[in-house]
Amino acid sequence: MGKLIVRKVGVLGAGVMGAQIAAHLVNVRVPVILFDLPAREGPPSGIARRAIDGLSRLSPPPLAAPGLASYIEAANYEEDLGRLAECDLVIEAIAERMDWKLDLYRRIGPHLRADSIIASNTSGLSIATIGDALPEAMRSRFCGVHFFNPPRYMTLVELIPTPRTDASLLDALETFLVTTVGKGVVRARDTPNFIANRYGIFSMIATMENAERFGLGFDVVDDLTGTRLARAKSATFRTADVVGLDTMAHVIRTMAETLPSDPWHRYFRSPDWLQGLIERGALGQKTRAGIFSKPGKEILVLDRASGQYVASTGAASDAVKAILKISSAADRFAALRASDDPQARFLWAIQRDLFHYCAVHLASVADNARDVDLALRWGFGWSAGPFETWQAAGWQQIARWINEDIAAGVAMSDAPLPAWVTEPGRTGVHTEAGSFSALTGSVVARSPLPVYRRQAFPPLVSGEQAAPRGETVFENAGVRLWTGIEATGGDIAVLSFRTKMNIVDATVLEGIAQARALAESDFRGMVIWQTGDHFSLGADLGSISALVEAGKFDDIDAMIARFQQTSLLLRDAQVPVVAALRGMALGGGCEFALHASRIVAALETGIGLVETGVGLIPGGGGCKELALRAAGEAAATRSASGAAWLFDFIRPRFESVALATTAKSAEDARSLGLLRAADVVITNPHELLHVACNVARGLADSGWRPPLPPQPFAVMGANGIATLQAHLVNLRDGGLISAHDHTVGLALAQALCGGPVPEGSLVDERWMLDLERRLFVDLLRNPLTLARIKHTLATGKPLRN
């Protein structure tokens, strides 16, 4: 097929998954019609309407910005099936009942457009069987598209074809899911529970089985199987609570019913304690009680023996903590297997049984080992997939230990490892050329789809060949300026910070100045893009703290002046400078972005001026920039409507910075005034560098010139400061903020309102920068600010003194 254009999506089923799939689609600007059964009382589409209204009450929020829910229309199956003709893509997400699904597909068939795509979000039922309920002409346009919960935040989407699915349609849909929806796509085979749930739920089954064998409580198991194993913080049993215990039991039951010949079949059952919780309605997070409960401030955990909730106090033993800190994976596994500690033996057992299961079923479940590892990483939040972990620990040694445990009868199954596992010379399944396919006995390279050329540095599994890191143009201790990969095209330079968490220190300030000069002389544009998880966590508080304690306030003033000058260097560069944001862009990092020619931000980026959390205000030009933008917006509104009060544009910016607000998404940052209308938001962070380079190139092609120096602009002055101070006094006297919060807030009010000048005074940029810098340094003279800084450096948490 040609290019896939998705103007509107129909989602069938307004339950938890259907409503949140709809929410994420409108996050990426795709309007949705959400269908459900007609309501017995009230408006016919009341069920879907209530689901839409309920999105705003969910945590974490499924919607990336307020107001997006208005792009989801409520509909019902009785009156509105004709509206399916408006939809280019239809996603079914009703309950996991095959009979219900087949009935619905028979009903919708006559209303589907001949060129629409139909997909089921089933978590494990047969895609081919579901597709058989469609008219013959539509079956080539049907497949599975399995989102993970919550759809906005979970990377994985499994794409499952039937034997009749049009291959070109599948390619087009994968491209849409990767770029527009922002997902990591794995193509799964049409087997029960597909890849992630098949292996992920088995991992949970093995964990439950071995927890009982070794007599470990739920809280102990979660302490062992979360971040200590480089897996999701929710570990095993908290994950089950989040997913829903009824959902988990359903998936296990599906495995039992559809995999009767599986060598591990006898374990595909819900334990008595799980069935008991379900029977009493304790289904996990959605019912506020499951394996864990939190009736007040204390977390309680189910005691298997009594069936009652008790205080959660279990934790990893000191011996296991020490073993898990061993840097060598091979030595770590050897120590776990050799230990007499029940917790260590448990950890070896759950990983042994998972490796065993993955190897036995690789040929029937997935096309290659890479798909398994990426599915578990993206769908269950693991840092490394099972095959990656096995390979890092020493492939042949682990295989020998698994065989020894099978022979000794301590493994969960006596199924032999496949012959390919121990063939001579095998050191793993991932190589520079690709990943092993047990189905074909060959190595499978990555997908050749053009969409993946947009990912300059795609997520790799260990053993794969890393993408070239480009050619260095200039570097110092703080930054590296480089080019030489496809995205840069030879005419765009990329600036990456080299400091820990990409903090801004003196070497970064020096490096940016030199990088700008080189970009102006040798390139058409520059992109600031980081190789780590975050754009920047702000200024170097450690250096600031040391200068304060040494009483070197003149040095601090000079450093902040240089910080401000660096922000202006980015704004005034003779080539476009694009800030490519992902992860966190906080404090000074956010100030740099505010001064860039454009921002390109991944949707799930946390952006904010959060300096008040350490007793400071933005000092790198951030206060000036917010005041300047507020004045510009007020002037534009006055021109359009005839009236505008500047304070209405200052107040929300003051509140955001005073509360150290971090935007919950890039779209949220736009609503806070941190992104402009021309700034770009994308959904897939792996495409960030590609898009940012193209934005820089497009600006250069349009004849880029830096903005003219800002003219003097109006400020609120003394009246604005007084109004904001009155608000601060009320908050302080009401016990909502501390005395030092009041002090910091007052400094912020002065910086945003231009100081104690008459309302409406015109001030220039230099006035605002000098004021901002003076207030910043004055706050550092306050011992309470130094205490906040030192507490944050020591604990990573704010101090409200």
Side-chain angles (χ1 to χ4, degrees):
M1 64 178 293
K3 179 182 176 182
L4 173 62
I5 298 176
V6 179
R7 300 173 183 83
K8 186 177 289 185
V9 174
V11 176
L12 308 178
V16 173
M17 281 300 293
Q20 292 200 57
I21 289 171
H24 188 57
L25 287 168
V26 297
N27 285 341
V28 300
R29 299 297 189 268
V30 179
V32 175
I33 305 174
L34 181 62
F35 293 80
D36 210 296
L37 295 167
R40 294 181 179 178
E41 298 178 358
S45 298
I47 294 175
R49 170 48 53 194
R50 286 191 292 274
I52 297 167
D53 293 342
L55 291 170
S56 62
R57 297 189 292 272
L58 296 178
S59 180
L63 293 166
L68 286 175
S70 62
Y71 294 97
I72 308 174
E73 299 179 73
N76 69 85
Y77 302 136
E78 192 68 35
E79 300 176 333
D80 301 314
L81 284 182
R83 298 200 62 192
L84 289 173
E86 302 173 28
C87 302
D88 305 290
L89 171 64
V90 176
I91 300 174
E92 170 268 308
I94 69 170
E96 292 291 274
R97 283 273 302 268
M98 181 62 82
D99 55 339
W100 292 358
K101 289 181 186 290
L102 296 179
D103 178 66
L104 180 61
Y105 277 73
R106 293 186 188 103
R107 292 181 63 189
I108 67 173
H111 302 280
L112 297 168
R113 281 206 330 257
D115 62 343
S116 63
I117 298 174
I118 308 93
S120 175
N121 185 61
T122 177
S123 60
L125 298 179
S126 168
I127 297 297
T129 302
I130 295 171
D132 285 342
L134 286 168
E136 181 69 36
M138 296 300 301
R139 293 177 189 176
S140 66
R141 307 189 64 79
F142 173 74
C143 64
V145 55
H146 180 213
F147 289 82
F148 273 65
N149 189 28
R152 173 184 167 186
Y153 300 97
M154 297 304 292
T155 301
L156 180 63
V157 169
E158 291 175 313
L159 196 57
I160 311 104
T162 75
R164 295 182 293 271
T165 305
D166 182 287
S168 63
L169 175 146
L170 213 63
D171 290 347
L173 184 56
E174 181 169 352
T175 298
F176 169 75
L177 291 168
V178 170
T179 288
T180 303
V181 187
K183 295 304 175 184
V185 174
V186 168
R187 294 203 186 186
R189 304 185 70 196
D190 190 8
T191 57
N193 294 339
F194 313 129
I195 298 175
N197 274 343
R198 177 74 174 274
Y199 285 136
I201 295 298
F202 176 80
S203 178
M204 298 176 78
I205 290 171
T207 299
M208 290 189 291
E209 174 66 22
N210 282 296
E212 292 202 28
R213 289 186 182 185
F214 291 98
L216 303 182
F218 299 122
D219 48 357
V220 174
V221 169
D222 270 13
D223 191 48
L224 290 169
T225 60
T227 55
R228 296 188 193 280
L229 283 191
R231 296 182 181 178
K233 186 178 180 180
S234 56
T236 300
F237 293 111
R238 284 182 179 84
T239 295
D241 273 351
V242 171
V243 170
L245 300 186
D246 53 341
T247 301
M248 182 176 167
H250 170 78
V251 175
I252 295 173
R253 184 167 59 252
T254 299
M255 293 175 74
E257 293 171 351
T258 57
L259 297 167
S261 60
D262 191 298
W264 285 263
H265 183 268
R266 65 183 180 278
Y267 301 104
F268 299 164
R269 50 170 173 69
S270 295
D272 291 342
W273 58 263
L274 176 57
Q275 200 57 44
L277 287 172
I278 293 171
E279 289 172 0
R280 70 198 219 195
L283 306 180
Q285 183 173 278
K286 58 189 173 185
T287 60
R288 308 179 71 86
I291 299 169
F292 292 90
S293 176
K294 192 178 180 182
K297 293 185 177 181
E298 185 180 21
I299 297 176
L300 305 179
V301 61
L302 181 73
D303 175 66
R304 269 194 298 261
S306 66
Q308 302 300 310
Y309 289 103
V310 299
S312 177
T313 57
S317 68
D318 290 340
V320 166
K321 290 178 185 177
I323 291 173
L324 293 178
K325 290 179 180 178
I326 298 172
S327 58
S328 164
D331 293 344
R332 189 165 60 249
F333 270 86
L336 288 174
R337 190 167 189 271
S339 175
D340 291 330
D341 187 306
Q343 293 184 11
R345 293 163 59 204
F346 161 79
L347 286 175
W348 158 250
I350 63 170
Q351 294 178 95
R352 171 204 65 208
D353 291 327
L354 177 60
F355 297 159
H356 187 189
Y357 191 83
C358 287
V360 167
H361 290 295
L362 177 58
S364 62
V365 171
D367 289 336
N368 60 78
R370 178 181 54 251
D371 288 349
V372 173
D373 283 341
L374 290 178
L376 269 297
R377 282 163 51 175
W378 292 339
F380 280 77
W382 295 5
S383 296
F387 286 117
E388 290 180 280
T389 304
W390 183 351
Q391 184 164 326
W395 185 270
Q396 292 294 346
Q397 180 60 75
I398 294 293
R400 283 192 291 272
W401 286 337
I402 293 173
N403 277 328
E404 289 174 10
D405 284 4
I406 293 172
V410 295
M412 286 175 62
S413 170
D414 60 2
L417 284 173
W420 63 262
V421 171
T422 54
E423 63 187 11
R426 177 168 298 285
T427 58
V429 290
H430 302 307
T431 69
E432 292 187 355
S435 296
F436 179 74
S437 168
L439 184 65
T440 64
S442 61
V443 168
V444 177
R446 281 183 168 259
S447 170
L449 282 180
V451 68
Y452 292 111
R453 293 183 63 184
R454 296 167 59 89
Q455 300 184 10
F457 300 99
L460 301 176
V461 292
S462 57
E464 279 190 295
Q465 183 175 13
R469 288 289 175 178
E471 303 166 1
T472 299
V473 176
F474 155 77
E475 65 181 341
N476 68 358
V479 306
R480 175 182 178 237
L481 186 71
W482 57 277
T483 189
I485 65 171
E486 183 177 350
T488 63
D491 59 348
I492 304 297
V494 180
L495 180 67
S496 299
F497 297 174
R498 302 177 65 189
T499 50
K500 183 178 181 181
M501 305 302 288
N502 299 321
I503 62 169
V504 181
D505 64 8
T507 64
V508 170
L509 298 177
E510 176 188 346
I512 289 175
Q514 295 189 52
R516 183 193 111 148
L518 288 167
E520 288 179 332
S521 64
D522 299 336
F523 296 91
R524 302 181 66 225
M526 183 170 76
V527 170
I528 307 176
W529 175 88
Q530 314 296 11
T531 56
D533 293 332
H534 301 293
F535 180 76
S536 174
L537 295 194
D540 179 9
L541 292 177
S543 295
I544 293 174
S545 176
L547 290 171
V548 172
E549 293 190 299
K552 296 183 176 181
F553 291 99
D554 288 343
D555 289 352
I556 294 173
D557 185 85
M559 180 177 66
I560 300 306
R562 191 173 187 186
F563 205 129
Q564 293 176 336
Q565 183 60 31
T566 303
S567 293
L568 298 184
L569 284 174
L570 295 173
R571 184 195 68 188
D572 298 336
Q574 295 299 308
V575 294
V577 176
V578 176
L581 309 187
R582 63 178 174 184
M584 307 298 287
L586 304 178
C590 178
E591 289 177 289
F592 282 164
L594 290 175
H595 287 84
S597 313
R598 291 288 188 276
I599 292 173
V600 177
L603 178 65
E604 302 303 339
T605 304
I607 307 170
L609 296 170
V610 296
E611 288 86 348
T612 59
V614 290
L616 293 169
I617 63 171
C623 291
K624 175 273 302 179
E625 188 64 20
L626 292 185
L628 180 60
R629 292 186 183 189
E633 291 171 13
T637 303
R638 184 181 302 114
S639 174
S641 66
W645 192 34
L646 175 57
F647 189 73
D648 288 339
F649 297 89
I650 288 290
R651 180 177 57 194
R653 288 172 164 87
F654 170 81
E655 292 173 348
S656 171
V657 179
L659 295 174
T661 303
T662 299
K664 297 179 178 64
S665 71
E667 292 296 352
D668 189 28
R670 199 189 296 279
S671 70
L672 295 174
L674 299 175
L675 265 65
R676 300 155 294 193
D679 292 329
V680 178
V681 176
I682 67 168
T683 53
N684 194 319
H686 296 293
E687 297 184 347
L688 188 62
L689 183 57
H690 169 87
V691 175
C693 287
N694 279 342
V695 168
R697 190 173 292 112
L699 291 173
D701 285 345
S702 68
W704 168 259
R705 294 289 300 163
L708 294 170
Q711 296 293 318
F713 57 93
V715 293
M716 281 302 302
N719 284 350
I721 296 170
T723 304
L724 294 173
Q725 183 177 19
H727 179 55
L728 290 168
V729 168
N730 289 334
L731 292 175
R732 182 196 62 195
D733 293 348
L736 298 176
I737 64 172
S738 70
H740 193 49
D741 287 331
H742 172 270
T743 300
V744 176
L746 182 56
L748 176 64
Q750 294 180 67
L752 291 177
C753 292
V757 298
E759 179 181 347
S761 296
L762 298 180
V763 301
D764 61 18
E765 183 175 66
R766 178 47 52 193
W767 170 275
M768 295 298 287
L769 289 171
D770 289 346
L771 174 64
E772 172 185 304
R773 188 175 70 256
R774 177 177 61 78
L775 292 165
F776 184 96
V777 176
D778 284 348
L779 284 170
L780 283 171
R781 297 180 188 275
N782 190 316
L784 294 177
T785 287
L786 181 59
R788 286 192 177 189
I789 292 174
K790 295 176 74 171
H791 184 269
T792 299
L793 289 171
T795 67
K797 299 177 181 179
L799 172 66
R800 290 297 179 193
N801 54 353

